[in-house]
Amino acid sequence: MSSDACVVLIGPVGTLPALTQKTAALGEVLAFPDADAPQALRTIAQRKPAVFVLERLFAATPRGAALINRVKADPTLTDTEIRVLAHDSDYSRVSPRKAPPEPQPLDQRGTRRAPRFKIQPKALASVDTVKATLLDLSTIGAQLVTTLQLKPGQQVRTTLDDKTGSVRFIATVVWASFEISPKGVSRYRAGLEFTDADAVEVDAYIGRHRL
């Protein structure tokens, strides 16, 4: 599939002018601050740019790595080059477009790739606006139960709420099992892998609600 002759770049706000100047010769430049990672991802999916540029420091963060893996895993973006640039030096590298490794799945207790913590039962969460009870939570995944029907591979809008505010992001259902609660209520227990969650915000939420 052919790519649009444009560049999508993402990085900390202060780095965008320098990155835009460095990539202007490649085509139309669409620049996004790192806080707008979800919008950048939507633009990439819609425009299928010739080049996707990440600022070096952002690319090294969990969110940056997640964006790179997401683009690599999308079969419609095989023509998009993924490039990592430093805004303040000549550093530049192209991320190999070989097939990405299979993501490590969440097990029935959470995720193996980041520390996980049991969460207080009163913590508020929702999946596609349906209330959910968090069991375990890490910066990259969660285990929860909900009455919403879930199945592996499904993408869901996830929200973590408390008096401080809301943390919103997209997650993928890695595994799901049907249960009937002791009260006879049908529900689904599932493991989620976060797509574009802000690791700092999720970590702060864990700090406020861990057991």
Side-chain angles (χ1 to χ4, degrees):
M1 183 176 294
S2 61
S3 298
D4 191 347
C6 70
V7 178
V8 171
L9 67 83
I10 184 168
V13 173
T15 69
L16 296 181
L19 291 175
T20 299
Q21 185 175 3
K22 288 186 174 187
T23 56
L26 301 176
E28 178 190 4
V29 178
L30 307 173
F32 296 88
D34 53 357
D36 288 343
Q39 182 58 45
L41 191 59
R42 287 191 288 270
T43 300
I44 292 169
Q46 293 168 0
R47 294 289 297 270
K48 297 177 174 51
V51 184
F52 172 39
V53 175
L54 298 92
E55 199 278 328
R56 182 182 183 182
L57 297 177
F58 175 67
T61 67
R63 283 190 298 155
L67 279 173
I68 290 173
N69 290 335
R70 180 70 179 274
V71 171
K72 286 184 176 182
D74 191 331
T76 70
L77 297 173
T78 55
D79 292 334
T80 296
E81 178 183 275
I82 302 171
R83 189 177 300 183
V84 177
L85 294 180
H87 71 284
D88 55 358
S89 74
D90 292 333
Y91 177 90
S92 175
R93 71 175 177 84
V94 175
S95 185
R97 283 312 307 254
K98 61 184 180 181
E102 289 295 320
Q104 299 176 17
L106 301 174
D107 61 19
Q108 294 292 322
R109 295 165 296 173
T111 175
R112 296 170 180 158
R113 292 180 292 139
R116 57 177 175 261
F117 303 93
K118 292 188 178 299
I119 300 299
Q120 299 174 8
K122 294 183 179 180
L124 302 176
S126 64
V127 178
D128 281 349
T129 71
V130 177
K131 182 180 178 181
T133 299
L134 287 169
L135 303 178
D136 298 316
L137 182 63
S138 78
T139 56
I140 59 174
Q143 180 186 181
L144 51 76
V145 292
T146 178
T147 57
L148 178 68
Q149 182 177 354
L150 297 173
K151 59 184 179 180
Q154 179 180 350
Q155 286 197 330
V156 292
R157 291 167 294 141
T158 307
T159 303
L160 310 177
D161 287 308
D162 63 16
K163 62 182 180 181
T164 302
S166 297
V167 183
R168 296 185 175 89
F169 49 88
I170 302 298
T172 299
V173 179
V174 180
W175 58 265
S177 61
F178 176 77
E179 298 181 344
I180 297 179
S181 73
K183 296 182 178 180
V185 177
S186 298
R187 65 186 188 184
Y188 287 80
R189 181 184 298 263
L192 305 184
E193 185 171 30
F194 303 158
T195 300
D196 56 5
D198 187 312
V200 174
E201 292 183 352
V202 176
D203 187 63
Y205 185 90
I206 292 171
R208 296 192 297 270
H209 299 285
R210 60 183 290 186
L211 285 174

